[in-house]
Amino acid sequence: MTMIRYSPKTFSKKEFLTPFDRIFDQLMGDNFPVFQREFGTDFFAQGSYPKCNVVNFDDKVEIEAAIPGLGKDEVDVSVVDGVLTIKAESNQREDVTEAQYVKREVKRSAFARSFTLGENLDETAITAKQENGVLTLTIPKRQETETEPAVRKITIS
């Protein structure tokens, strides 16, 4: 009898999750076209950590990211070319050299989570606060103005 063994080197998490990401993106685009218009075509870009809640208000969007154990100086939030990125590096303890772990469950590694911002979001007015292990980013929505187009008279000489 031949046994098939799973080898983590031959199958990556990304290969497994990518088809589900496409299904989710298509489901969101087909059923909620306003969502795609307001948040951009690829609002949930690659990455799944830190875990986030995204709350859509009439005048703003809030992103709540779970970052327990990290101080505000250890987390970097930036916007480049319309992509908001939350990243940090939580290194392993360096003082465990003369001992060994009996159990190790605390995730200590680098992470980055990105969100593509839609044109209706004001990336220049993003604010951030951190409280009790939760980073809250507030992104105001741009207000559409319905003004009359400016008319400029041209003098004919």
Side-chain angles (χ1 to χ4, degrees), residues 31-100:
N31 293 305
F32 304 101
V34 172
F35 184 87
Q36 189 174 27
R37 184 177 70 242
E38 287 200 0
F39 297 104
T41 56
D42 192 19
F43 185 75
F44 299 104
Q46 290 293 333
S48 63
Y49 191 81
K51 298 297 183 191
C52 294
N53 294 330
V54 179
V55 185
N56 182 23
F57 295 94
D58 289 336
D59 61 339
K60 64 185 174 189
V61 172
E62 284 186 355
I63 299 174
E64 302 167 331
I67 53 167
L70 294 174
K72 65 181 183 179
D73 296 335
E74 298 172 290
V75 179
D76 179 53
V77 180
S78 61
V79 178
V80 177
D81 294 329
V83 177
L84 172 79
T85 301
I86 304 166
K87 64 181 175 179
E89 186 172 324
S90 177
N91 291 324
Q92 300 293 338
R93 289 179 55 177
E94 294 178 11
D95 63 340
V96 183
T97 55
E98 301 294 321
Q100 74 182 58

